[in-house]
Amino acid sequence: MSDAQSHAIDDACMNRFLVKVTVFSSGGSFLDGYVLSIIGVALGGLTMTLGLSTTHAALIGAASLAGIFFGALVGGRMTDAFGRRLMFILDVSAIGLVSLACVFVDAGWQLIVLRFLLGFFIGADYPIATSLIAEFVPKRQRAIGMGIVSASWYLGATMAAFIGYLLYTVDGGWRWMLASSVIPCIVLLIGRHDIPESPRWLAQRGRTEQARAVMERVYGCCIDLEDEVPHKMGFKQVFRHGYFSRIVYLGVLILCQVVPMYAMYTFGPRIMSAFGLGVGRASILGETVVSLFFLIGSVPAMFWLNSLGRRPLLIGSLALMAVGLAIPGVVPGAPILVIIVAFAIYAFFSGGPGILQWLYPNELFPTEVRATAVGVAIAISRVGVVASTYGLPLFLESYGIGPTMLIGCGLLVLALVMSVFMAPETRGLTLSQASSLNERKENGHG
């Protein structure tokens, strides 16, 4: 990207259309939180109806995460190859259709297949939507934009718990729980229909006239793109010297951060019951309270990422998150209030790392492979998430809740140690500066 265009976009003022781009781009994250969490609530009803074993329940929980692995990889590459807008519409349409199909399942294997497909299309939306936000939104609002993506995940999860609570006692309610995600899909399709292609992507493809037209429509002025030199970079670019260490760090960081979170949402009612926080419908309320702390924690983190910086907030948050899981891990029989406070600490301070799992990959890689890098980082993390989600109910049944929580704590400690040595500071940098392999710029000194 030329310095002229990057500078113009990064220093532009936020306007109503950019707010719309951010909100409706965050819809994929909302769907992920909703789809992943609703299965945790629905498992009780569908397990009895379909006669599922613990192994089947684990496979259903892991299926969507396995789908996200493949969807993020394929979607990221296709987004860099064919553009953000086309994939932006197709994937949400597919999610809606698969959600409707869930109403008609009558066997466990059918639900496993449909959950895999849902995960695939949700995974594809991650690189599409976050790339659009990063490439449209000025640098001062970039952390807030990605914060909305992160908060949307928690909002979706909280909404799923609420809908699940309402439908829990309805006859066949689990079918309507799983199908209900079609409603946000319709809303997203309406909101996304007039969002244009990324001008940065167009310029990289040599389509400068179209890029200028988009810039004029969005920002109200014409941006000079005469110095644009299109570049084509393949999948291997993500793994070249310099970028390789970034992608490995981001993959492991995201894995360590999301494994305990996904486990808590996928099997939330079971975990709450294990701590004595109610059973059945009552356990959903406990999960909803924890989910609200995830959501609340995202709000101040959006602003702390700019005021405190990416690196300090990440390291401090990971340390406090580890403490939050260590308490119920070491003392699983602690009073209920202590358990809730510990979960609240973990959930609240997940805000910063939760945002950075979207912000870092988009900042640390160039436009040519930005969506690919997001997809690869998400895919790396989902390898661990799939394994842990499949294994969690089996491990929980064999060893109990205390050791389960300590494993989550150990992952956060690993992420903390890696971040001390590898986390970059990108606060205040343009996208071209942050994605540069110049060591001074990577560490925030450029």
Side-chain angles (χ1 to χ4, degrees):
M1 222 53 214
S2 71
D3 289 340
Q5 188 187 2
S6 295
H7 178 78
I9 294 175
D10 282 317
D11 291 334
C13 294
M14 200 70 178
N15 58 43
R16 291 177 64 182
F17 193 82
L18 292 176
V19 172
K20 179 178 180 177
V21 170
T22 302
V23 170
F24 286 101
S25 294
S26 302
S29 183
F30 176 93
L31 283 172
D32 181 22
Y34 190 94
V35 168
L36 180 72
S37 301
I38 200 71
I39 191 65
V41 182
L43 269 177
L46 67 88
T47 297
M48 291 186 292
T49 303
L50 302 180
L52 302 179
S53 64
T54 301
T55 301
H56 277 107
L59 283 172
I60 290 171
S64 59
L65 300 172
I68 289 174
F69 170 83
F70 292 103
L73 279 178
V74 175
R77 193 69 203 120
M78 290 181 68
T79 299
D80 281 331
F82 302 113
R84 282 59 165 138
R85 174 171 165 72
L86 175 64
M87 302 295 294
F88 199 54
I89 301 299
L90 291 179
D91 68 317
V92 174
S93 302
I95 293 170
L97 291 174
V98 176
S99 296
L100 281 177
C102 290
V103 174
F104 305 102
V105 300
D106 56 13
W109 70 266
Q110 295 173 353
L111 191 55
I112 291 171
V113 171
L114 290 174
R115 294 291 298 178
F116 176 86
L117 291 174
L118 275 174
F120 182 90
F121 294 116
I122 288 171
D125 196 79
Y126 286 155
I128 303 166
T130 59
S131 295
L132 268 174
I133 293 174
E135 292 168 7
F136 269 116
V137 173
K139 66 182 180 184
R140 292 187 300 276
Q141 284 79 35
R142 197 183 304 141
I144 296 175
M146 294 302 172
I148 293 174
V149 173
S150 182
S152 294
W153 196 102
Y154 301 127
L155 180 61
T158 304
M159 184 63 69
F162 178 72
I163 296 298
Y165 181 81
L166 293 179
L167 294 175
Y168 193 84
T169 56
V170 174
D171 186 32
W174 64 269
R175 295 182 184 274
W176 302 112
M177 291 181 202
L178 298 181
S180 61
S181 53
V182 73
I183 297 174
C185 285
I186 294 172
V187 174
L188 287 178
L189 284 173
I190 295 172
R192 288 184 173 192
H193 82 280
D194 64 340
I195 293 177
E197 183 57 82
S198 162
R200 294 180 188 264
W201 184 86
L202 289 169
Q204 285 292 341
R205 291 283 162 170
R207 295 156 63 177
T208 54
E209 290 303 319
Q210 290 175 270
R212 289 193 187 99
V214 172
M215 295 296 294
E216 185 170 4
R217 174 188 169 191
V218 174
Y219 301 100
C221 62
C222 213
I223 303 299
D224 185 8
L225 298 172
E226 291 182 1
D227 295 332
E228 279 297 328
V229 179
H231 293 89
K232 289 187 178 181
M233 296 185 181
F235 186 81
K236 293 180 180 178
Q237 175 72 12
V238 175
F239 301 98
R240 62 173 283 197
H241 177 70
Y243 288 127
F244 178 74
S245 61
R246 293 184 182 185
I247 202 68
V248 170
Y249 166 64
L250 291 174
V252 175
L253 171 67
I254 298 171
L255 183 153
C256 292
Q257 192 258 328
V258 302
V259 162
M261 182 190 73
Y262 270 54
M264 187 170 295
Y265 274 109
T266 305
F267 300 102
R270 289 194 183 189
I271 293 173
M272 296 299 130
S273 296
F275 279 115
L277 299 176
V279 295
R281 197 182 190 201
S283 66
I284 301 173
L285 290 178
E287 182 184 4
T288 304
V289 171
V290 174
S291 185
L292 283 173
F293 276 100
F294 276 111
L295 179 60
I296 293 168
S298 298
V299 177
M302 297 180 196
F303 304 95
W304 289 341
L305 284 166
N306 282 335
S307 60
L308 300 177
R310 276 61 156 160
R311 178 181 164 84
L313 182 62
L314 175 63
I315 292 173
S317 295
L318 288 171
L320 290 167
M321 290 166 66
V323 170
L325 289 189
I327 294 172
V330 174
V331 195
I336 290 177
L337 180 59
V338 173
I339 298 296
I340 292 177
V341 169
F343 276 149
I345 291 172
Y346 160 73
F348 180 83
F349 288 101
S350 293
I355 295 172
L356 283 170
Q357 71 171 297
W358 309 115
L359 184 58
Y360 261 162
N362 281 285
E363 289 186 330
L364 296 176
F365 292 86
T367 301
E368 304 93 307
V369 291
R370 178 165 293 119
T372 300
V374 174
V376 171
I378 293 297
I380 292 173
S381 72
R382 267 36 177 194
V383 172
V385 173
V386 170
S388 65
T389 304
Y390 174 77
L392 185 138
L394 306 176
F395 189 90
L396 187 61
E397 188 175 311
S398 300
Y399 299 99
I401 191 66
T404 303
M405 293 294 103
L406 288 177
I407 289 177
C409 176
L411 288 172
L412 293 171
V413 171
L414 173 61
L416 172 62
V417 173
M418 289 188 67
S419 297
V420 169
F421 292 100
M422 300 180 70
E425 182 54 76
T426 55
R427 177 180 59 168
L429 301 182
T430 65
L431 284 181
S432 60
Q433 289 173 336
S435 62
S436 169
L437 289 176
N438 183 298
E439 197 66 27
R440 285 175 57 81
K441 289 176 181 176
E442 181 176 341
N443 289 288
H445 302 300

